[in-house]
Amino acid sequence: WQHPWTEAGATVRNTARPPKAHNQPTLWSGTHQHANINSLPNTRAIHKHRSIVPVLHFDAMCSSLHTIILFCALMHLVSLACCAPPTDEAKGAPNEAPPTIPTKPKSELQKFVDSIRSSPFGTFDKDTRDDCADIIDACWSDIFANIFVECAATCTQQLEQPRMNGKASDASAFYDLPSVRLQRPTNSKSMQMEDLEGYVVIVAIVPLIPGMAAYYYELLEHLHSSFRPNLEIVLLPVDVGVEGGIHLVLHDPPHVRVLQEIDDATSNAMIRYLLDVKPTSGTASVLTRADGTTQHVQSNLNLDRVTMYLLSADGMFVERLTSPSMNALQERVTLFMKSMDYDEL
């Protein structure tokens, strides 16, 4: 029997009728013997022969499966090469501590500020070294900033001057002064002077000398916390030409009202008003007029030390304190708050 699709000259070795298609397995041709592809003279007949087609499909699938296996193995090798765990040299020695960045040691001034801010009472009016009497000249120093804070009691005593008492000719004039700009505003960029009416007020003129400026700012912050809400403190920092310049590091938020820095204290209208207050007692200078009469006036403002003005709640009575201690300030503020008869101050 010859397959009807077989062309002339092409033969197959098995002359038996092939089994029915529905009895054949998907990839196998049962007991059918396949012709050798090299011995068949007609290639067209081979591809048309039904008994050879399944064998060609099986060979193709095996070849594809082999290719897929090789591809997967290659990708596995590539992934191992790319994602290999780091070597011991790359990881470093086990339990090796990270390198430490050296930090600059804190200065004595910074240690003082940190200790003051961490203490609810503060440390003022004390000497923490034994040689303060031998280094009094360093209290004015703009180089040895630590001397003032380490010798606070000695320095304030050395720079202190007698108190001046005065009386304003017009008490309301102080609250009518123009507004002043704050260094770190809380609600607005400027402060209205009328906001101070009804409070005992301290106006501090603080030269920006290292150590001295930081000491008195921290002192005033603590003083405010002791007497609030009846005390208001205004601080005017004055640039006195220290090389490199310094600036106050304010609390957050600050309770002391710190004004914008200036280099001439007398350019501030509030300071000019306070300097014009006539002394009634205490230290004063005598001014001789052209007609020969004399007048008591305040002494010149020294910017090598801190000067403070203490005002009564109605603005009538004024005291001038120079380089005061914490104890002296507490005493005077308490008196201003308790006494209602300001003529006795």
Side-chain angles (χ1 to χ4, degrees):
W1 178 81
Q2 183 174 349
H3 197 281
W5 290 358
T6 305
E7 296 182 358
T11 60
V12 293
R13 296 182 181 180
N14 189 357
T15 58
R17 184 181 297 273
K20 294 182 180 181
H22 64 272
N23 293 328
Q24 294 182 1
T26 305
L27 298 177
W28 298 95
S29 58
T31 57
H32 187 69
Q33 298 180 3
H34 305 291
N36 188 344
I37 192 170
N38 296 323
S39 64
L40 295 177
N42 195 327
T43 306
R44 181 180 177 185
I46 295 173
H47 287 283
K48 286 185 177 182
H49 201 286
R50 291 182 178 178
S51 63
I52 299 178
V53 172
V55 178
L56 295 178
H57 286 180
F58 176 74
D59 292 341
M61 290 189 64
C62 290
S63 177
S64 299
L65 184 61
H66 182 64
T67 303
I68 292 174
I69 294 174
L70 290 178
F71 178 77
C72 292
L74 179 62
M75 293 302 295
H76 180 66
L77 292 176
V78 171
S79 65
L80 290 178
C82 295
C83 306
T87 60
D88 293 339
E89 291 79 3
K91 292 188 296 183
N95 300 327
E96 182 178 356
T100 57
I101 301 176
T103 57
K104 185 179 179 181
K106 290 185 177 181
S107 64
E108 293 299 324
L109 177 60
Q110 186 60 48
K111 292 179 182 179
F112 163 77
V113 172
D114 292 344
S115 64
I116 289 295
R117 295 189 179 184
S118 62
S119 171
F121 304 105
T123 304
F124 303 100
D125 298 347
K126 294 181 180 179
D127 290 343
T128 59
R129 53 190 300 166
D130 300 329
D131 60 343
C132 290
D134 301 328
I135 54 175
I136 290 179
D137 292 341
C139 293
W140 292 270
S141 174
D142 59 355
I143 300 176
F144 303 104
N146 59 302
I147 298 301
F148 197 98
V149 299
E150 293 176 345
C151 301
T154 299
C155 287
T156 53
Q157 184 178 2
Q158 178 68 21
L159 298 175
E160 188 178 10
Q161 294 177 350
R163 185 176 72 248
M164 181 219 76
N165 297 327
K167 186 175 182 180
S169 57
D170 182 6
S172 63
F174 180 75
Y175 308 109
D176 294 335
L177 292 172
S179 61
V180 290
R181 293 182 62 84
L182 298 174
Q183 189 173 130
R184 182 182 292 179
T186 52
N187 298 322
S188 63
K189 294 183 179 180
S190 60
M191 179 190 70
Q192 304 297 326
M193 297 299 295
E194 61 184 12
D195 296 340
L196 303 177
E197 190 170 3
Y199 296 91
V200 174
V201 177
I202 292 178
V203 178
I205 305 169
V206 179
L208 291 176
I209 299 175
M212 182 188 299
Y215 176 85
Y216 271 103
Y217 172 68
E218 298 297 335
L219 181 148
L220 291 173
E221 284 282 357
H222 274 265
L223 188 70
H224 182 275
S225 64
S226 300
F227 289 96
R228 62 183 178 189
N230 300 318
L231 176 67
E232 285 289 348
I233 301 177
V234 180
L235 188 151
L236 177 64
V238 181
D239 184 0
V240 292
V242 174
E243 184 177 356
I246 68 165
H247 308 282
L248 294 174
V249 180
L250 306 185
H251 287 212
D252 188 17
H255 300 294
V256 173
R257 299 173 185 247
V258 181
L259 307 185
Q260 295 284 346
E261 297 177 8
I262 60 175
D263 54 10
D264 181 10
T266 58
S267 64
N268 184 281
M270 178 174 55
I271 302 304
R272 290 198 302 270
Y273 169 84
L274 294 172
L275 286 171
D276 288 340
V277 173
K278 295 180 180 181
T280 57
S281 63
T283 181
S285 299
V286 179
L287 176 65
T288 303
R289 299 188 180 96
D291 59 1
T293 59
T294 60
Q295 178 185 359
H296 290 276
V297 296
Q298 295 185 42
S299 57
N300 294 331
L301 187 66
N302 295 323
L303 292 179
D304 61 350
R305 63 200 69 192
V306 173
T307 301
M308 297 188 192
Y309 286 92
L310 181 60
L311 287 80
S312 60
D314 61 357
M316 179 63 71
F317 298 94
V318 180
E319 282 190 2
R320 173 173 164 173
L321 308 171
T322 303
S323 189
S325 64
M326 171 65 94
N327 184 61
L329 281 171
Q330 290 174 333
E331 178 183 328
R332 301 311 298 173
V333 171
T334 300
L335 180 62
F336 267 67
M337 286 187 174
K338 289 183 177 180
S339 176
M340 299 302 295
D341 185 5
Y342 293 106
D343 290 334
E344 296 181 1
L345 292 178

